[in-house]
Amino acid sequence: NFIRSLPDSIGNCAKLRKLRIVDNQVKALPPSILNLWRCAPAGYNGNLEEFLADRNPLVRPPITAFEMGGFNNAFKLLEESVRLEMR
């Protein structure tokens, strides 16, 4: 597959429950994707239950975050990265 990036508007897909971008060329997730995350302590109330990103050259967040802790762990790292950029 040849997807290189996800659009910033992905964060507007409030009803999205599953997202699979396996075997593509995505290097970074847009910060807006955090809007899809269901993580009450962080203030996100999305509906995303499954996010598969295997076999992508992800560096933001790193693909190893998905492999070692699933997408919740990866989204936590992405959130930290976004916060650091905003400083």
Side-chain angles (χ1 to χ4, degrees):
N1 297 326
F2 299 103
I3 298 172
R4 295 186 180 274
S5 64
L6 296 176
D8 289 331
S9 60
I10 191 93
N12 297 331
C13 299
K15 294 184 180 183
L16 190 64
R17 294 179 50 210
K18 296 181 181 187
L19 182 57
R20 299 176 181 134
I21 60 167
V22 175
D23 200 19
N24 279 285
Q25 300 301 314
V26 178
K27 292 183 180 179
L29 298 180
S32 68
I33 202 163
L34 292 170
N35 295 330
L36 305 178
W37 188 24
R38 182 182 300 166
C39 183
Y44 298 103
N45 297 309
N47 290 308
L48 196 62
E49 298 170 354
E50 179 181 295
F51 184 89
L52 300 178
D54 301 347
R55 296 186 301 278
N56 278 278
L58 273 168
V59 293
R60 182 180 169 192
I63 192 66
T64 55
F66 285 94
E67 295 167 351
M68 297 178 79
F71 86 89
N72 281 311
N73 186 54
F75 277 33
K76 284 179 190 175
L77 289 176
L78 177 60
E79 180 187 36
E80 289 174 16
S81 173
V82 169
R83 283 187 185 176
L84 287 173
E85 280 183 6
M86 295 175 89
R87 290 184 182 177

